[in-house]
């Protein structure tokens, strides 16, 4: 099941999501960040000036429209701006943070930490009388690279992040189980994870008792699942 940050509501509402019930998929690793839910709940299209994407999304998601003063329309279908994202079905908008967004969030903070360390090193250099004051306009991307290699920090989800010797953050993958409901909503439940550089035999962790299977299938043994994944 492909991962997406936003979906087109007009297409989603006509789908039979029961087909996806019990689906097991691999997604880019993610985590719940402190304050993210509050951020989503505070989003209002009227306060995001110049954000035409948000206006279009709002109209599609809530099946309303922003009236054109030059065009008469049914006021009952007008977007008020007070609609709540959490009231939408998860098939229209998923309130959880996706792996792509989580990766971008971590990348931004990694750069910020690296630049901070770089400026501290320059400050110490100046303290010894060996340099001038460095402004942001004097910074070149290549100067940040060595500092990215050595930074270690915890993000707001409490996850420890750092680069390995291949310049990679070892996030791995989450194993997700999709559970659908009659009202076309669904939950994605994390039932395990894939750790690429773990010792042999420990690369895949699955909580078998958490899996909800499609009713037409028998349960697949976890050992067979591992054999198929790492063969």
């Amino acid at each position: 099941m492909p991962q997406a940050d936003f979906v087109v509501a007009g297409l989603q509402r006509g789908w039979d999501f029961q087909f996806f019930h019990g689906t097991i998929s691999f997604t880019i690793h993610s985590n719940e960040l402190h304050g993210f839910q509050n951020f989503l709940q505070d989003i209002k299209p009227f306060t995001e000036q110049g954000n035409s994407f948000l206006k279009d999304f709002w109209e599609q998601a809530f099946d309303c429209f922003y009236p054109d003063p030059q065009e008469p329309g049914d006021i009952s279908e007008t977007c008020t701006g007070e609609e709540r994202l959490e009231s939408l079905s998860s098939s229209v908008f998923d309130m959880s943070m996706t792996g792509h967004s989580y990766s971008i969030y971590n990348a931004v903070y990694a750069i910020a930490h690296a630049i901070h360390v770089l400026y501290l090193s320059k400050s110490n250099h100046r303290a010894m009388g060996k340099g001038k004051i460095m402004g942001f306009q004097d910074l070149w991307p290549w100067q940040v690279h060595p500092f990215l290699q050595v930074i270690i920090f915890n993000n707001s989800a409490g996850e420890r992040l750092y680069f390995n010797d291949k310049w990679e953050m070892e996030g791995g993958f989450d194993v997700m189980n999709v559970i659908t409901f009659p009202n076309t909503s669904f939950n994605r439940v994390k039932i395990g994870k894939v750790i690429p550089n773990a010792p042999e035999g420990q690369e895949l962790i699955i909580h078998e008792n958490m899996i909800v299977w499609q009713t037409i299938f028998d349960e697949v043994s976890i050992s067979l699942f591992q054999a198929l994944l790492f063969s």
Side-chain angles (χ1 to χ4, degrees):
M1 188 173 182
Q3 186 173 358
D5 289 311
F6 297 98
V7 292
V8 180
L11 295 176
Q12 294 289 329
R13 289 192 175 102
W15 289 11
D16 180 10
F17 272 91
Q18 294 301 314
F19 176 80
F20 294 104
H21 183 71
T23 301
I24 294 177
S25 61
F26 297 92
T27 63
I28 300 171
H29 174 61
S30 182
N31 220 329
E32 286 300 316
L33 297 170
H34 177 70
F36 181 66
Q37 292 295 318
N38 292 336
F39 166 76
L40 290 179
Q41 292 166 4
D42 290 341
I43 290 178
K44 300 293 181 183
F46 294 132
T47 61
E48 302 291 332
Q49 298 296 326
N51 191 338
S52 60
F53 168 77
L54 182 58
K55 173 180 173 293
D56 292 341
F57 166 75
W58 211 264
E59 290 181 326
Q60 293 185 52
F62 293 101
D63 199 19
C64 60
F65 70 95
Y66 287 96
D68 185 338
Q70 308 301 324
E71 297 286 342
D74 185 353
I75 192 171
S76 65
E77 298 178 354
T78 302
C79 299
T80 66
E82 296 302 316
E83 297 85 2
R84 307 287 292 180
L85 289 173
E86 63 265 32
S87 70
L88 294 172
S89 165
S90 51
S91 62
V92 177
F93 183 79
D94 192 348
M95 292 285 288
S96 61
M97 174 168 279
T98 66
H100 295 96
S101 298
Y102 187 66
S103 297
I104 293 171
Y105 174 91
N106 288 332
V108 170
Y109 269 87
I111 293 293
H113 278 279
I115 291 176
H116 178 67
V117 175
L118 170 61
Y119 270 83
L120 286 179
S121 70
K122 294 295 183 181
S123 297
N124 292 336
H125 195 67
R126 290 197 305 272
M128 294 184 293
K130 297 181 180 180
K132 63 176 184 178
I133 297 176
M134 183 181 184
F136 189 79
Q137 67 275 9
D138 301 318
L139 184 64
W140 293 90
W142 60 265
Q143 294 176 293
V144 181
H145 291 172
F147 296 91
L148 280 172
Q149 183 72 45
V150 299
I151 60 166
I152 300 175
F153 66 97
N154 293 341
N155 65 15
S156 64
E159 188 166 358
R160 194 168 182 80
L161 301 173
Y162 58 91
F163 286 91
N164 61 20
D165 55 1
K166 297 179 181 178
W167 290 82
E168 298 171 337
M169 280 192 174
E170 300 175 354
F173 297 91
D174 295 330
V175 184
M176 310 297 293
N177 189 201
V178 177
I179 303 172
T180 64
F181 302 98
N183 64 353
T184 73
S185 65
F186 65 89
N187 281 339
R188 290 182 300 176
V189 179
K190 187 181 297 186
I191 60 170
K193 57 184 177 181
V194 176
I195 309 173
N197 295 321
E200 185 175 353
Q202 300 178 29
E203 303 96 333
L204 175 64
I205 297 175
I206 293 284
H207 303 291
E208 190 175 4
N209 62 319
M210 296 178 61
I211 300 176
V212 174
W213 297 96
Q214 176 60 262
T215 54
I216 63 174
F217 297 130
D218 294 327
E219 290 192 12
V220 180
S221 70
I222 208 68
S223 58
L224 176 59
F225 189 36
Q226 289 178 311
L228 290 173
L229 180 64
F230 296 108
S231 60

